[in-house]
Amino acid sequence: MTYIVNDKCIKCKYTDCVEVCPVDCFYEGANMLVIKPDECIDCGVCEPECPVDAILPDTLLKDPNDKAYWIEFNKKYAEQWPNIVRRKPALDDADSWKTVPDKMKHFDENPGS
Ligand code: SF4
Ligand code: F3S
């Protein structure tokens, strides 16, 4: 198993998760983070830290297509984006994006650092 970051992180990027990860397996894009599945040790400490509940264990994704999609999404971008190991300020307007649905429309692939 692994933990994954989903689209709720988009346009928020609070980075509270980064500070607690014992193996530094978060990677940073322009408007969201992902977890590298091969590095995550499934400790679970990041999950409650996220203010928008964007982190969850893949075991909670019951739809096999949904599960495969998010694992592959995290794996793909973790290989392209830089590692992030320190908390930083959330994105501008993060609070106003907290409850926006269907955030994949606002996904930006470009690294943000
Ligand atoms: Fe890091 Fe643990 Fe979260 Fe995996 S579950 S990303 S190892 S804090
Ligand atoms: Fe994103 Fe939540 Fe971390 S908004 S950066 S997954 S704390």
Side-chain angles (χ1 to χ4, degrees), residues 5-112:
V5 180
N6 69 20
D7 57 330
K8 290 182 179 176
C9 181
I10 293 170
K11 295 283 188 182
C12 287
K13 208 162 80 168
Y14 285 102
T15 71
D16 304 66
C17 53
V18 170
E19 207 60 43
V20 299
C21 181
V23 294
D24 294 337
C25 66
F26 283 91
Y27 292 78
E28 182 183 14
N31 59 6
M32 74 176 291
L33 303 191
V34 289
I35 290 168
K36 188 176 273 190
D38 293 349
E39 294 178 349
C40 175
I41 58 171
D42 308 325
C43 70
V45 297
C46 56
E47 185 182 0
E49 296 299 317
C50 179
V52 291
D53 298 328
I55 302 172
L56 67 164
D58 67 358
T59 48
L60 284 186
L61 300 171
K62 297 304 177 197
D63 178 336
N65 291 331
D66 199 34
K67 180 172 174 170
Y69 174 83
W70 283 110
I71 293 174
E72 183 53 35
F73 183 98
N74 277 251
K75 185 172 189 289
K76 173 182 174 183
Y77 289 105
E79 284 165 3
Q80 297 178 20
W81 294 345
N83 192 213
I84 173 171
V85 298
R86 292 269 180 276
R87 191 177 182 196
K88 59 196 281 189
L91 292 176
D92 291 345
D93 302 325
D95 289 349
S96 65
W97 282 93
K98 266 184 167 181
T99 56
V100 173
D102 299 328
K103 285 188 176 178
M104 281 309 288
K105 287 183 285 194
H106 308 281
F107 173 62
D108 184 344
E109 284 194 56
N110 298 321

